[in-house]
Amino acid sequence: EVQLLESGGGSVQPGGSLRLSCAASGFTFNTYAMSWVRQAPGKGLEWVSSISNDGGSTKYADSVKGRFTISRDNSKNTLYLQTYNLRAEDTAIYYCAKDPRDWGWIYFDYWGQGTLVTVSS
Amino acid sequence: EIVMTQSPATLSVSPGERATLSCRASQSVSNSLAWYQQKPGQAPRLLIYGASTRATGIPARFSGSGSGTEFTLTISSLQSEDFAVFYCQQYYDWPPWFGQGTKVEIK
């Protein structure tokens, strides 16, 4: 059974940083691309970032480019999202999502339950 | 970038009735279109990919159709557990944007 367990969310002041983690199990982690998708309170889904199976390719939404860094440790079956210079508009539930391929066309066949990031002074 | 527009924003349907949801892309995405269902307090769930292929474990009452810029998700006979928000998402090009969602509520 595929399981994705996010952690690392919390409350932070504007300008602060957080490192989100996603522990994966139930599938061969190093075979698949992974992504982060967020959802602001009461709003729709917004893709944030994706990384290829080997970590060699990454993509970011313009809204987070230069402030967020996606990475993965295939030896630990873990996906990360390092966030910097957080803004109020980054407040959201952050979902870890598995892609069905190693890279390329990105959609999401499994999702974690999410971790809440709140940016407020 | 490709903008995805869903309609209607809210759809009121009685249990047992058919629901038809629309998704339009600002330019052709071929058949690179996925549909997701999200219930309150839960993560989204993949329903359809490739515009018309049901994901693992998805009941046959869910069907997808379309190609190019116009897509439809049909729920043939709504069950109580189907009431939720539905999102389409294109994966033809970066960024893989979602539509704004259609809420299917009980009439």
Side-chain angles (χ1 to χ4, degrees):
Chain A
E1 178 191 6
V2 172
Q3 291 194 342
L4 300 170
L5 184 61
E6 301 94 336
S7 60
S11 294
V12 62
Q13 293 186 334
S17 302
L18 282 175
R19 189 197 199 199
L20 309 184
S21 299
C22 172
S25 61
F27 64 101
T28 307
F29 184 70
N30 62 12
T31 303
Y32 299 99
M34 297 291 295
S35 300
W36 290 96
V37 177
R38 69 184 180 183
Q39 187 170 36
K43 302 298 184 182
L45 301 171
E46 180 188 19
W47 169 78
V48 172
S49 182
S50 297
I51 187 167
S52 61
N53 66 312
D54 62 359
S57 297
T58 59
K59 291 282 190 180
Y60 298 92
D62 285 347
S63 59
V64 306
K65 198 173 294 183
R67 300 188 300 119
F68 290 11
T69 300
I70 191 171
S71 63
R72 63 193 295 162
D73 186 336
N74 285 345
S75 68
K76 296 182 178 179
N77 289 352
T78 302
L79 174 72
Y80 303 101
L81 186 69
Q82 177 69 57
T83 69
Y84 303 95
N85 191 19
L86 284 162
R87 306 166 179 168
E89 55 265 34
D90 295 318
T91 294
I93 296 172
Y94 284 73
Y95 294 103
C96 164
K98 172 187 169 295
D99 304 340
R101 299 178 238 218
D102 56 355
W103 190 234
W105 294 312
I106 295 294
Y107 63 97
F108 315 107
D109 57 356
Y110 290 95
W111 300 64
Q113 284 304 303
T115 187
L116 178 62
V117 172
T118 303
V119 184
S120 174
S121 55
Chain B
E1 63 182 48
I2 300 173
V3 176
M4 308 302 293
T5 303
Q6 292 184 240
S7 62
T10 303
L11 187 61
S12 298
V13 185
S14 300
E17 290 187 341
R18 174 187 294 259
T20 302
L21 289 67
S22 296
C23 175
R24 173 176 293 177
S26 60
Q27 62 190 76
S28 177
V29 299
S30 185
N31 68 338
S32 299
L33 193 285
W35 289 94
Y36 303 87
Q37 177 191 48
Q38 187 179 32
K39 298 178 183 180
Q42 296 186 16
R45 175 177 71 150
L46 176 66
L47 296 176
I48 301 283
Y49 62 93
S52 61
T53 302
R54 280 189 301 276
T56 303
I58 302 304
R61 63 181 181 272
F62 292 93
S63 63
S65 63
S67 66
T69 62
E70 301 284 342
F71 301 88
T72 300
L73 175 70
T74 301
I75 311 170
S76 59
S77 176
L78 272 160
Q79 307 298 303
S80 57
E81 62 267 28
D82 298 338
F83 292 93
V85 179
F86 294 83
Y87 296 94
C88 63
Q89 178 234 332
Q90 69 84 16
Y91 53 98
Y92 183 78
D93 197 7
W94 297 96
W97 284 150
F98 294 86
Q100 79 278 23
T102 291
K103 181 179 180 181
V104 178
E105 63 178 23
I106 300 175
K107 186 175 182 180

